[in-house]
């Protein structure tokens, strides 16, 4: 799938904001600890770190809601969107352009918006999507910039959608839902089903 930038300004994919707060000491410390010589090795290392050490709160039934990268790293928990925010911040902290992208998936009666990260390694001619959601039985997301190894492949017969836009910042509708939820149960009720 051909991905398109929401912002024509490539610097937007390196910027810090309220959610992707890569200048925060928690993010800087994690980035420094994971830093390796090559950008591709660092990107792979931070992907594995977020995927494997930040618990998906639905899998662990943790009711806390985190939405800033620094809070996700400090609490070591978050839903798929929070984990994507943390990965984007860690990539940007080392100068690797990263954005947020989405899939709409059929999850029972209510479709759910699934968060991914798009990154562009130096010298790469295109964006590559990765899925830091976290593996479990039936879910096997892997780091790959050559071919996608996402947790889920959309099924068009169920009206699932791969959105091709790479957002420089968390879409306002998601930011609002994450910031205003008192707990994960409330967040689940208020997450948008699509963009």
């Amino acid at each position: 799938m051909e991905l398109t930038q929401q912002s024509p300004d490539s610097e937007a994919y390196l910027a810090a904001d309220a959610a992707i707060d890569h200048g925060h000491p928690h993010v800087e410390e994690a980035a420094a600890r994971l830093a390796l010589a090559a950008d591709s090795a660092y990107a792979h290392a931070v992907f594995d770190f977020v995927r494997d050490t930040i618990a998906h709160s639905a899998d662990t039934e943790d009711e806390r809601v985190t939405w800033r990268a620094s809070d996700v790293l400090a609490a070591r928990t978050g839903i798929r969107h929070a984990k994507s925010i943390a990965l984007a911040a860690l990539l940007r902290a080392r100068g690797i352009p990263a954005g947020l992208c989405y899939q709409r998936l059929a999850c029972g009666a209510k479709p759910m918006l699934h968060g991914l990260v798009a990154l562009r390694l130096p010298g790469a001619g295109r964006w590559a999507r990765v899925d830091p959601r976290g593996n479990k039985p039936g879910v096997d997301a892997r780091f790959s910039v050559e071919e996608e190894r996402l947790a889920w492949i959309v099924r068009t017969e169920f009206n699932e959608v791969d959105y091709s836009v790479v957002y420089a910042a968390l879409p306002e509708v998601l930011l609002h839902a994450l910031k205003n939820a008192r707990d994960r149960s409330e967040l689940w009720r208020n997450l948008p089903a699509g963009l």
Side-chain angles (χ1 to χ4, degrees):
M1 173 173 55
E2 184 76 25
L3 298 173
T4 59
Q5 293 182 190
Q6 173 210 19
S7 172
D9 180 6
S10 293
E11 290 298 311
Y13 297 91
L14 293 169
D17 61 27
I20 304 173
D21 60 341
H22 60 75
H24 190 281
H26 288 317
V27 179
E28 289 179 339
E29 183 265 323
R33 191 174 64 248
L34 294 162
L36 301 171
D39 290 330
S40 61
Y42 174 77
H44 194 161
V46 296
F47 170 84
D48 287 347
F49 171 76
V50 172
R51 184 195 62 194
D52 299 340
T53 68
I54 307 293
H56 191 293
S57 56
D59 293 348
T60 60
E61 298 183 10
D62 191 327
E63 286 295 313
R64 293 177 290 172
V65 175
T66 53
W67 61 272
R68 280 187 189 95
S70 56
D71 294 339
V72 174
L73 294 170
R76 291 280 200 266
T77 191
I79 67 165
R80 62 202 74 192
H81 301 292
K83 292 180 66 147
S84 292
I85 290 164
L87 178 55
L90 287 168
L91 291 167
R92 290 181 185 186
R94 287 292 176 256
I96 299 171
L100 304 167
C101 47
Y102 302 93
Q103 296 173 315
R104 185 183 71 219
L105 302 173
C107 295
K110 179 184 175 190
M112 178 149 306
L113 198 59
H114 181 62
L116 307 168
V117 171
L119 65 121
R120 182 174 245 160
L121 292 175
R126 62 179 185 81
W127 289 97
R129 293 189 309 172
V130 295
D131 189 345
R133 184 242 178 257
N135 290 340
K136 63 180 187 174
V139 176
D140 187 27
R142 303 283 173 169
F143 181 86
S144 176
V145 294
E146 286 80 35
E147 74 174 297
E148 291 188 335
R149 300 286 310 272
L150 307 178
W152 290 281
I153 297 170
V154 300
R155 302 163 299 171
T156 55
E157 65 272 21
F158 293 105
N159 291 326
E160 294 182 339
V161 176
D162 264 323
Y163 294 102
S164 63
V165 175
V166 179
Y167 291 86
L170 191 64
E172 188 60 38
V173 65
L174 273 173
L175 181 60
H176 179 78
L178 286 162
K179 282 176 70 172
N180 293 306
R182 290 182 298 245
D183 57 32
R184 187 178 44 81
S185 298
E186 181 179 318
L187 176 61
W188 241 233
R189 291 189 301 274
N190 295 317
L191 276 174
L195 291 175

